[in-house]
Amino acid sequence: MLLYNFFLAVYAKLVAFVGLWKPKAKQWTDGRKDIFRRMAERISPSDRVVWIHVASLGEFEQGRPIIEEIRKNHPHYKVLLTFFSPSGYEIRKNYDGADYIFYLPVDTPGNVRRFLDISHPEIAVFVKYEFWLNYLYQLKARGTRTFLISAIFRRNSIFFKWYGNRWRQALESFEQIFVQNEESRQLLHDIGFDNVIIAGDTRFDRVAAIAKAAKQIPLVERFKGDSRLFVAGSTWGPDEDILQQLINQNPDIKFVVAPHEMDEERMAKIIANTAKGAVRYTQCDEHTDLNHCQVLILDTIGILSSVYGYATWSYIGGGFGVGIHNTLEAATFALPIAFGPKYEKFKEARDMVALGAATSVTSAEELIRWFTPLRDDAILLDRVSSIAKDYTAKNQGATSLIMKIAFEG
């Protein structure tokens, strides 16, 4: 533990140093300043607190169904939500489903004691893969009911290595571990953990709720008109490069492109390279002529999930970088899905590729070969769309199982 604690202390100082020129690193550091004072000012000693911890935005979407069920059915609890990453905190710091939202203080023994003394959670829920040793040891020592949800374990992770004893001990802090698949359950069983339930991924419940609550977006309706619509979500530069050829070869199809980051240069490039015209969502009003535009660039946040409801096909970005973004939001609207080659870390993507609801492409030519039959063959399109929709429907239910055991058992 001495080495672990030393590493975290050095890591925090390195992030602070990098923050001199990297905005995200500065947010990581600045967001933790005076955190214990701010927490103490907000959290009352009499509050009954449920603590939900997530790494970033993707894990927040997995924790969100649990938070919303707590608010709905257990209003006597106050929800404390913590993030490790700025990319989650900065986007969701005003989320009204939680009573308190903070960065997670660095996992040093002193920080952990102060954090838990102030927050005094009755129940702690860690989402997917956040394993902070000091927090977990201290939660166990205090007798706090602690759960891990939507978890996935892989054979090559530290828990199953000869040198992973400390990490295996940390898993003993969890009263129940809810995993996504049988492989994870078996791996944990092999090292002596039988408090494991295959519950699935809470994101299936989340995207089902999103689909039910989808908003009408008049500008998108006007842009689409009588055309069919292809939506490309959370795209990066390499995604946009291969999409550009698909766009220009399909002038009768309308496209919405939603960049993951609002990069001015990339958006200008899409506009310049689209033969039939492109326009930015934030630069449109009721007087904008959208009939002669083929591409709508979604340069805003918060509406992409509803935009999928207008689409017939989809592309999910990130697969030429560190990994693809959320495919389930598109699948729940019964959309065939394409994405780049880096998808193996994502169970739902692997599942949908195996089922035929999704495909991985490495070039514009492969993307066009995938799209053309789905454009021209209505029977094929209907079959693939149904596979995507059925997959999301059959995997719902994790939230109710977790709530029953953790809050009603």
Side-chain angles (χ1 to χ4, degrees):
M1 286 296 289
L2 286 174
L3 185 60
Y4 174 83
N5 292 331
F6 174 76
F7 169 79
L8 286 175
V10 171
Y11 177 81
K13 291 187 179 300
L14 283 174
V15 173
F17 177 69
V18 173
L20 295 174
W21 66 90
K22 291 285 187 179
K24 280 191 176 180
K26 181 174 171 55
Q27 288 175 333
W28 191 95
T29 301
D30 289 350
R32 289 168 167 83
K33 288 180 179 177
D34 297 321
I35 192 167
F36 298 116
R37 175 187 58 79
R38 290 185 283 117
M39 287 178 62
E41 289 174 352
R42 297 283 313 281
I43 302 173
S44 168
S46 62
D47 287 343
R48 297 186 64 188
V49 176
V50 176
W51 171 30
I52 311 286
H53 175 65
V54 300
S56 191
L57 195 58
E59 294 74 32
F60 166 77
E61 291 299 325
Q62 292 174 303
R64 185 169 180 167
I66 302 299
I67 294 171
E68 294 179 352
E69 282 297 307
I70 294 169
R71 299 285 284 195
K72 178 181 176 182
N73 296 315
H74 302 275
H76 51 282
Y77 283 121
K78 298 285 189 179
V79 176
L80 165 63
L81 173 64
T82 58
F83 288 87
F84 181 77
S85 165
S87 58
Y89 176 84
E90 296 300 330
I91 292 175
R92 294 302 182 191
K93 61 186 175 182
N94 296 316
Y95 168 59
D96 59 9
D99 297 282
Y100 317 114
I101 303 176
F102 295 101
Y103 278 100
L104 182 73
V106 177
D107 184 32
T108 61
N111 282 350
V112 169
R113 286 191 294 271
R114 293 181 71 185
F115 177 88
L116 293 177
D117 286 346
I118 294 169
S119 61
H120 54 85
E122 290 185 24
I123 297 173
V125 179
F126 287 69
V127 179
K128 195 173 181 179
Y129 53 51
E130 282 283 278
F131 304 104
W132 297 109
L133 300 187
N134 288 308
Y135 278 105
L136 290 174
Y137 289 154
Q138 191 62 217
L139 286 166
K140 183 181 180 183
R142 294 179 183 223
T144 305
R145 299 184 68 211
T146 305
F147 300 88
L148 177 64
I149 69 168
S150 293
I152 287 186
F153 290 84
R154 296 180 178 86
R155 190 171 297 280
N156 62 352
S157 69
I158 193 169
F159 303 98
F160 313 109
K161 304 292 188 181
W162 63 266
Y163 50 83
N165 186 53
R166 287 282 188 183
W167 299 88
R168 290 189 289 273
Q169 289 177 356
L171 291 180
E172 295 173 3
S173 303
F174 294 113
E175 178 179 321
Q176 199 78 55
I177 299 173
F178 297 94
V179 298
Q180 293 190 33
N181 57 18
E182 169 61 24
E183 180 186 5
S184 297
R185 188 204 67 78
Q186 186 62 52
L187 285 169
L188 290 171
H189 173 76
D190 290 345
I191 59 171
F193 289 91
D194 293 317
N195 58 332
V196 182
I197 294 175
I198 303 173
D201 189 341
T202 50
R203 283 184 304 160
F204 287 95
D205 302 318
R206 171 67 188 146
V207 296
I210 287 172
K212 289 179 182 177
K215 309 169 189 172
Q216 285 189 299
I217 306 175
L219 193 147
V220 173
E221 291 178 1
R222 192 157 61 85
F223 168 73
K224 179 182 177 182
D226 295 327
S227 302
R228 294 187 291 174
L229 182 66
F230 187 114
V231 174
S234 301
T235 60
W236 294 83
D239 303 302
E240 292 149 13
D241 288 342
I242 68 170
L243 283 161
Q244 196 70 65
Q245 292 188 46
L246 181 72
I247 291 166
N248 287 334
Q249 289 192 22
N250 290 274
D252 296 330
I253 304 295
K254 292 288 187 92
F255 288 79
V256 169
V257 178
H260 184 67
E261 294 182 345
M262 308 307 163
D263 184 285
E264 294 291 333
E265 184 177 339
R266 283 183 15 229
M267 290 190 287
K269 182 179 177 182
I270 294 170
I271 293 170
N273 291 338
T274 301
K276 288 196 66 178
V279 64
R280 291 171 59 166
Y281 181 91
T282 59
Q283 296 177 358
C284 295
D285 58 28
E286 65 271 18
H287 304 296
T288 305
D289 181 8
L290 297 173
N291 293 325
H292 299 95
C293 287
Q294 188 190 4
V295 174
L296 178 66
I297 301 173
L298 204 65
D299 58 340
T300 186
I301 61 172
I303 63 172
L304 175 60
S305 58
S306 293
V307 174
Y308 284 126
Y310 293 98
T312 303
W313 316 270
S314 66
Y315 178 95
I316 307 301
F320 290 92
V322 296
I324 59 173
H325 295 285
N326 192 338
T327 56
L328 293 179
E329 286 186 354
T332 198
F333 285 103
L335 303 184
I337 302 168
F339 39 71
K342 294 184 180 177
Y343 70 93
E344 288 294 336
K345 292 190 296 184
F346 304 91
K347 178 182 181 297
E348 66 277 9
R350 298 196 308 272
D351 288 347
M352 287 192 285
V353 168
L355 290 168
T359 195
S360 172
V361 299
T362 61
S363 65
E365 291 74 21
E366 289 183 9
L367 180 62
I368 291 165
R369 281 199 300 272
W370 165 80
F371 175 69
T372 302
L374 291 168
R375 179 196 64 192
D376 298 338
D377 187 336
I379 294 174
L380 173 64
L381 174 63
D382 183 66
R383 184 169 75 247
V384 175
S385 298
S386 295
I387 293 170
K389 181 66 175 177
D390 290 347
Y391 174 72
T392 60
K394 289 176 181 177
N395 283 280
Q396 293 168 25
T399 302
S400 60
L401 178 58
I402 292 166
M403 292 300 298
K404 182 176 181 180
I405 293 173
F407 291 87
E408 299 161 18

